[in-house]
Amino acid sequence: MNQQQQEKEEEVTACFDISQIDLRQLTFASRKRTLCIDINAVHPTQNAPHTEWFPFLFDDLKLDVKYIHEVNVHTIINILMVGLTDEQVFQDCLVKLKDGVEWSLYNKKVYGWSTVMYKNGFVKIDPSNL
C-alpha cells in the first residue's frame, strides 16, 4: 500500500465513531445510500482483508473518502457495505456496480447493489463470478 492509500485509510478509519449508533436499529431497511458490494465473491480466499477494500473503493470505484459515512462487512452474508453521504455519488456508484467494476488487483469484476434493492428482492447475479 502506498503512502497516499495509507493516509486515505487512516482518514476513513478516523471518521467512523460507532459508539453513538444503536446497532439493534441498523437493518437493511433503515440504511439509506448504502452500497452492498460483493467483493468477497471474487477474492481468492472469499474473505478480502480491509487493506484491500480501500484500494478497490478509491482506485477502482473512484470513490472519494469525503463521501464515505461507514464501511463494514455484514457478518451473515459477508457483503461489504459502504454508506455514503451524497445521493448523486451513491447513484453514480450504483450504476458502476450494476455493470461491474474491474478490481485491478485481481482483474475480476465486482458487482453491487443498494440495500433498498436488496430489501425489495432485486439482486443481479453474474454467473461468471460463481
Side-chain angles (χ1 to χ4, degrees), residues 9-38:
E9 184 176 339
E10 289 171 1
E11 186 177 343
V12 169
T13 303
C15 76
F16 298 127
D17 177 14
I18 63 167
S19 63
Q20 302 302 315
I21 297 175
D22 181 358
L23 297 177
R24 294 169 296 184
Q25 302 299 318
L26 202 54
T27 66
F28 274 103
S30 69
R31 291 176 184 266
K32 297 185 187 325
R33 292 186 302 273
T34 300
L35 303 168
C36 295
I37 303 173
D38 201 6

Side-chain angles (χ1 to χ4, degrees), residues 12 16-17 33 35 53 62 82-83 87 89 105 130:
V12 169
F16 298 127
D17 177 14
R33 292 186 302 273
L35 303 168
W53 302 344
K62 306 291 187 215
V82 181
E87 183 66 28
V89 172
L105 186 60
L130 299 176

Side-chain angles (χ1 to χ4, degrees), residues 38 97-100 111-113 117 121-126:
D38 201 6
L97 288 165
K98 178 184 172 214
D99 297 328
Y111 293 87
W113 56 91
M117 289 176 176
F122 171 75
V123 176
K124 176 184 175 185
I125 297 175
D126 185 345

